[in-house]
Short mmCIF file of all heavy atoms in Angstrom, two decimals:
data_model
loop_
_atom_site.label_atom_id
_atom_site.label_comp_id
_atom_site.label_asym_id
_atom_site.label_seq_id
_atom_site.Cartn_x
_atom_site.Cartn_y
_atom_site.Cartn_z
N GLY A 1 5.99 6.46 -16.62
CA GLY A 1 7.42 6.50 -16.71
C GLY A 1 7.81 7.05 -17.99
O GLY A 1 7.25 8.08 -18.62
N ALA A 2 8.84 6.49 -18.62
CA ALA A 2 9.33 6.87 -19.94
C ALA A 2 8.43 6.25 -21.08
O ALA A 2 7.61 5.31 -20.85
CB ALA A 2 10.73 6.50 -20.23
N GLY A 3 8.52 6.81 -22.28
CA GLY A 3 7.73 6.30 -23.31
C GLY A 3 6.52 7.15 -23.68
O GLY A 3 6.17 8.08 -22.99
N PRO A 4 5.88 6.76 -24.72
CA PRO A 4 4.77 7.56 -25.23
C PRO A 4 3.52 7.35 -24.41
O PRO A 4 3.39 6.41 -23.70
CB PRO A 4 4.55 7.05 -26.67
CG PRO A 4 4.98 5.60 -26.60
CD PRO A 4 6.12 5.54 -25.59
N ALA A 5 2.53 8.28 -24.66
CA ALA A 5 1.23 8.07 -24.09
C ALA A 5 0.62 6.83 -24.72
O ALA A 5 0.95 6.51 -25.87
CB ALA A 5 0.31 9.34 -24.35
N VAL A 6 -0.35 6.28 -24.01
CA VAL A 6 -0.92 4.99 -24.46
C VAL A 6 -2.36 5.20 -24.80
O VAL A 6 -3.14 5.69 -23.99
CB VAL A 6 -0.78 3.85 -23.40
CG1 VAL A 6 -1.55 2.59 -23.81
CG2 VAL A 6 0.68 3.56 -23.26
N HIS A 7 -2.77 4.83 -26.03
CA HIS A 7 -4.12 4.82 -26.47
C HIS A 7 -4.73 3.42 -26.20
O HIS A 7 -4.33 2.45 -26.70
CB HIS A 7 -4.25 5.10 -27.95
CG HIS A 7 -5.51 5.31 -28.52
ND1 HIS A 7 -6.26 6.57 -28.14
CD2 HIS A 7 -6.41 4.60 -29.32
CE1 HIS A 7 -7.41 6.46 -28.73
NE2 HIS A 7 -7.58 5.26 -29.34
N LEU A 8 -5.61 3.38 -25.18
CA LEU A 8 -6.05 2.12 -24.72
C LEU A 8 -6.68 1.20 -25.76
O LEU A 8 -6.48 -0.05 -25.75
CB LEU A 8 -7.04 2.29 -23.53
CG LEU A 8 -6.54 2.99 -22.24
CD1 LEU A 8 -7.61 2.93 -21.16
CD2 LEU A 8 -5.32 2.26 -21.75
N ALA A 9 -7.49 1.81 -26.61
CA ALA A 9 -8.03 1.05 -27.73
C ALA A 9 -6.98 0.54 -28.63
O ALA A 9 -7.33 -0.42 -29.50
CB ALA A 9 -9.07 1.81 -28.38
N GLY A 10 -5.82 1.04 -28.69
CA GLY A 10 -4.74 0.65 -29.47
C GLY A 10 -3.95 -0.48 -29.00
O GLY A 10 -2.84 -0.80 -29.73
N LEU A 11 -4.23 -1.10 -27.85
CA LEU A 11 -3.58 -2.19 -27.35
C LEU A 11 -3.85 -3.46 -28.13
O LEU A 11 -4.69 -4.25 -27.64
CB LEU A 11 -3.82 -2.31 -25.78
CG LEU A 11 -3.23 -1.21 -24.93
CD1 LEU A 11 -3.82 -1.35 -23.50
CD2 LEU A 11 -1.66 -1.32 -24.81
N ARG A 12 -3.22 -3.63 -29.19
CA ARG A 12 -3.55 -4.72 -30.16
C ARG A 12 -2.26 -5.46 -30.42
O ARG A 12 -1.18 -4.98 -30.10
CB ARG A 12 -4.17 -4.24 -31.48
CG ARG A 12 -5.24 -3.20 -31.19
CD ARG A 12 -6.64 -3.65 -31.32
NE ARG A 12 -7.64 -2.68 -31.14
CZ ARG A 12 -8.30 -2.13 -32.15
NH1 ARG A 12 -8.09 -2.55 -33.34
NH2 ARG A 12 -9.16 -1.16 -32.04
N GLY A 13 -2.44 -6.63 -31.05
CA GLY A 13 -1.29 -7.25 -31.63
C GLY A 13 -0.61 -8.40 -30.78
O GLY A 13 0.02 -9.26 -31.30
N GLN A 14 -0.96 -8.37 -29.51
CA GLN A 14 -0.46 -9.45 -28.60
C GLN A 14 -1.21 -9.48 -27.38
O GLN A 14 -1.95 -8.57 -27.03
CB GLN A 14 1.01 -9.23 -28.29
CG GLN A 14 1.23 -8.05 -27.23
CD GLN A 14 2.80 -8.02 -26.85
OE1 GLN A 14 3.35 -6.99 -27.27
NE2 GLN A 14 3.26 -8.98 -26.20
N PRO A 15 -1.37 -10.70 -26.72
CA PRO A 15 -2.15 -10.78 -25.53
C PRO A 15 -1.61 -9.84 -24.40
O PRO A 15 -0.46 -9.65 -24.27
CB PRO A 15 -1.87 -12.28 -25.01
CG PRO A 15 -1.42 -12.95 -26.24
CD PRO A 15 -0.61 -11.98 -27.09
N THR A 16 -2.54 -9.24 -23.75
CA THR A 16 -2.29 -8.11 -22.74
C THR A 16 -3.02 -8.30 -21.56
O THR A 16 -4.23 -8.59 -21.54
CB THR A 16 -2.52 -6.72 -23.43
OG1 THR A 16 -1.76 -6.56 -24.63
CG2 THR A 16 -2.19 -5.64 -22.56
N VAL A 17 -2.33 -8.06 -20.38
CA VAL A 17 -2.98 -7.97 -19.10
C VAL A 17 -3.00 -6.47 -18.69
O VAL A 17 -1.86 -5.93 -18.55
CB VAL A 17 -2.30 -8.88 -18.10
CG1 VAL A 17 -2.85 -8.66 -16.69
CG2 VAL A 17 -2.38 -10.40 -18.47
N VAL A 18 -4.15 -5.92 -18.42
CA VAL A 18 -4.21 -4.61 -17.96
C VAL A 18 -4.71 -4.61 -16.54
O VAL A 18 -5.81 -5.19 -16.19
CB VAL A 18 -5.19 -3.74 -18.85
CG1 VAL A 18 -5.35 -2.33 -18.19
CG2 VAL A 18 -4.66 -3.67 -20.28
N ASN A 19 -3.94 -4.03 -15.68
CA ASN A 19 -4.29 -4.00 -14.23
C ASN A 19 -4.55 -2.55 -13.81
O ASN A 19 -3.66 -1.68 -13.86
CB ASN A 19 -3.19 -4.62 -13.44
CG ASN A 19 -3.51 -4.60 -11.89
OD1 ASN A 19 -2.79 -3.79 -11.16
ND2 ASN A 19 -4.31 -5.41 -11.44
N VAL A 20 -5.74 -2.32 -13.26
CA VAL A 20 -6.04 -0.99 -12.67
C VAL A 20 -5.65 -1.01 -11.22
O VAL A 20 -6.24 -1.79 -10.45
CB VAL A 20 -7.54 -0.66 -12.90
CG1 VAL A 20 -7.81 0.73 -12.44
CG2 VAL A 20 -7.88 -0.87 -14.40
N TRP A 21 -4.88 -0.08 -10.84
CA TRP A 21 -4.39 -0.02 -9.44
C TRP A 21 -4.16 1.41 -8.93
O TRP A 21 -4.26 2.35 -9.73
CB TRP A 21 -3.08 -0.86 -9.32
CG TRP A 21 -1.86 -0.25 -10.08
CD1 TRP A 21 -1.59 -0.18 -11.41
CD2 TRP A 21 -0.78 0.34 -9.42
NE1 TRP A 21 -0.47 0.42 -11.62
CE2 TRP A 21 0.05 0.84 -10.45
CE3 TRP A 21 -0.44 0.74 -8.06
CZ2 TRP A 21 1.31 1.54 -10.17
CZ3 TRP A 21 0.82 1.41 -7.98
CH2 TRP A 21 1.63 1.87 -8.86
N ALA A 22 -3.80 1.48 -7.76
CA ALA A 22 -3.43 2.81 -7.10
C ALA A 22 -2.58 2.59 -5.87
O ALA A 22 -2.58 1.54 -5.29
CB ALA A 22 -4.64 3.54 -6.66
N GLY A 23 -1.65 3.55 -5.59
CA GLY A 23 -0.81 3.34 -4.46
C GLY A 23 -1.49 3.31 -3.15
O GLY A 23 -0.99 2.68 -2.14
N TRP A 24 -2.66 3.88 -3.05
CA TRP A 24 -3.43 3.93 -1.85
C TRP A 24 -4.31 2.68 -1.64
O TRP A 24 -5.01 2.53 -0.58
CB TRP A 24 -4.37 5.15 -1.72
CG TRP A 24 -5.10 5.47 -3.03
CD1 TRP A 24 -4.81 6.29 -4.05
CD2 TRP A 24 -6.36 4.77 -3.45
NE1 TRP A 24 -5.81 6.27 -4.94
CE2 TRP A 24 -6.70 5.38 -4.63
CE3 TRP A 24 -7.20 3.79 -2.84
CZ2 TRP A 24 -7.86 4.99 -5.30
CZ3 TRP A 24 -8.40 3.44 -3.48
CH2 TRP A 24 -8.72 4.03 -4.76
N CYS A 25 -4.32 1.84 -2.62
CA CYS A 25 -5.29 0.67 -2.68
C CYS A 25 -4.61 -0.54 -1.96
O CYS A 25 -3.66 -1.20 -2.57
CB CYS A 25 -5.66 0.43 -4.09
SG CYS A 25 -6.49 -1.20 -4.32
N GLU A 26 -4.95 -0.97 -0.77
CA GLU A 26 -4.34 -2.12 -0.08
C GLU A 26 -4.65 -3.42 -0.82
O GLU A 26 -3.53 -4.15 -0.99
CB GLU A 26 -4.93 -2.07 1.35
CG GLU A 26 -4.31 -1.02 2.20
CD GLU A 26 -4.79 -1.19 3.66
OE1 GLU A 26 -5.40 -2.28 3.97
OE2 GLU A 26 -4.64 -0.23 4.43
N PRO A 27 -5.70 -3.72 -1.37
CA PRO A 27 -5.81 -4.98 -2.18
C PRO A 27 -4.87 -4.92 -3.42
O PRO A 27 -4.37 -6.06 -3.77
CB PRO A 27 -7.23 -5.00 -2.59
CG PRO A 27 -7.94 -4.17 -1.58
CD PRO A 27 -7.00 -3.11 -1.25
N CYS A 28 -4.67 -3.80 -3.97
CA CYS A 28 -3.69 -3.77 -5.04
C CYS A 28 -2.32 -4.10 -4.68
O CYS A 28 -1.53 -4.82 -5.38
CB CYS A 28 -3.71 -2.30 -5.70
SG CYS A 28 -5.29 -1.70 -6.33
N GLN A 29 -1.95 -3.72 -3.42
CA GLN A 29 -0.61 -3.99 -2.95
C GLN A 29 -0.45 -5.56 -2.67
O GLN A 29 0.58 -6.11 -2.87
CB GLN A 29 -0.38 -3.29 -1.64
CG GLN A 29 -0.37 -1.79 -1.80
CD GLN A 29 -0.38 -1.03 -0.48
OE1 GLN A 29 0.03 -1.54 0.52
NE2 GLN A 29 -0.73 0.28 -0.56
N ARG A 30 -1.60 -6.17 -2.20
CA ARG A 30 -1.51 -7.58 -1.96
C ARG A 30 -1.41 -8.40 -3.19
O ARG A 30 -0.78 -9.47 -3.17
CB ARG A 30 -2.75 -7.98 -1.10
CG ARG A 30 -2.81 -7.42 0.31
CD ARG A 30 -3.80 -8.10 1.16
NE ARG A 30 -5.13 -7.96 0.72
CZ ARG A 30 -5.91 -7.02 1.12
NH1 ARG A 30 -5.53 -6.03 1.96
NH2 ARG A 30 -7.23 -6.94 0.63
N GLU A 31 -2.03 -7.94 -4.27
CA GLU A 31 -2.04 -8.75 -5.44
C GLU A 31 -0.73 -8.46 -6.41
O GLU A 31 -0.40 -9.19 -7.25
CB GLU A 31 -3.22 -8.50 -6.34
CG GLU A 31 -3.32 -7.07 -7.04
CD GLU A 31 -4.41 -6.91 -8.00
OE1 GLU A 31 -5.28 -7.81 -8.00
OE2 GLU A 31 -4.50 -5.82 -8.53
N ALA A 32 -0.01 -7.32 -6.01
CA ALA A 32 1.15 -7.00 -6.83
C ALA A 32 2.22 -8.16 -7.08
O ALA A 32 2.76 -8.21 -8.25
CB ALA A 32 1.78 -5.71 -6.26
N PRO A 33 2.54 -8.86 -6.06
CA PRO A 33 3.56 -9.97 -6.25
C PRO A 33 3.14 -10.91 -7.41
O PRO A 33 4.00 -11.39 -8.17
CB PRO A 33 3.66 -10.59 -4.90
CG PRO A 33 3.24 -9.63 -3.95
CD PRO A 33 2.12 -8.78 -4.64
N TYR A 34 1.85 -11.19 -7.48
CA TYR A 34 1.36 -12.17 -8.57
C TYR A 34 1.53 -11.52 -9.95
O TYR A 34 1.97 -12.21 -10.89
CB TYR A 34 -0.07 -12.47 -8.33
CG TYR A 34 -0.39 -12.95 -6.96
CD1 TYR A 34 -1.44 -12.51 -6.19
CD2 TYR A 34 0.42 -13.91 -6.30
CE1 TYR A 34 -1.77 -12.86 -4.88
CE2 TYR A 34 0.18 -14.28 -5.05
CZ TYR A 34 -0.94 -13.83 -4.34
OH TYR A 34 -1.26 -14.16 -3.04
N LEU A 35 1.25 -10.23 -10.08
CA LEU A 35 1.47 -9.56 -11.31
C LEU A 35 2.94 -9.43 -11.72
O LEU A 35 3.33 -9.53 -12.84
CB LEU A 35 0.76 -8.21 -11.35
CG LEU A 35 -0.75 -8.24 -11.35
CD1 LEU A 35 -1.31 -6.98 -10.76
CD2 LEU A 35 -1.22 -8.52 -12.71
N ARG A 36 3.70 -9.24 -10.69
CA ARG A 36 5.23 -9.05 -10.80
C ARG A 36 5.76 -10.36 -11.41
O ARG A 36 6.60 -10.36 -12.31
CB ARG A 36 5.80 -8.57 -9.60
CG ARG A 36 7.36 -8.30 -9.62
CD ARG A 36 7.81 -7.82 -8.31
NE ARG A 36 7.68 -8.80 -7.28
CZ ARG A 36 7.28 -8.63 -6.07
NH1 ARG A 36 6.80 -7.48 -5.71
NH2 ARG A 36 7.18 -9.66 -5.15
N SER A 37 5.33 -11.45 -10.77
CA SER A 37 5.89 -12.70 -11.19
C SER A 37 5.30 -13.08 -12.51
O SER A 37 6.09 -13.64 -13.41
CB SER A 37 5.36 -13.80 -10.25
OG SER A 37 5.76 -15.14 -10.56
N LEU A 38 4.09 -12.77 -12.84
CA LEU A 38 3.53 -13.08 -14.17
C LEU A 38 4.32 -12.32 -15.26
O LEU A 38 4.75 -12.92 -16.24
CB LEU A 38 2.08 -12.57 -14.23
CG LEU A 38 1.34 -12.68 -15.61
CD1 LEU A 38 1.09 -14.20 -15.87
CD2 LEU A 38 0.08 -11.89 -15.58
#
């Protein structure tokens, strides 16, 4: 979306949850509500 490119090794300074997903991935769709709520 908007905003700068992200340097993955630079994700520092606060706790972070990184979720690898895809629109074609059905298990990703099923887990999405839990991440949205989190």
Side-chain angles (χ1 to χ4, degrees):
V6 174
H7 190 70
L8 295 185
L11 289 169
R12 316 264 182 99
Q14 71 178 112
T16 301
V17 173
V18 175
N19 177 254
V20 183
W21 68 285
W24 46 263
C25 167
E26 291 186 6
C28 302
Q29 297 170 20
R30 291 196 295 270
E31 72 175 4
Y34 309 134
L35 290 159
R36 184 177 65 226
S37 174
L38 176 73

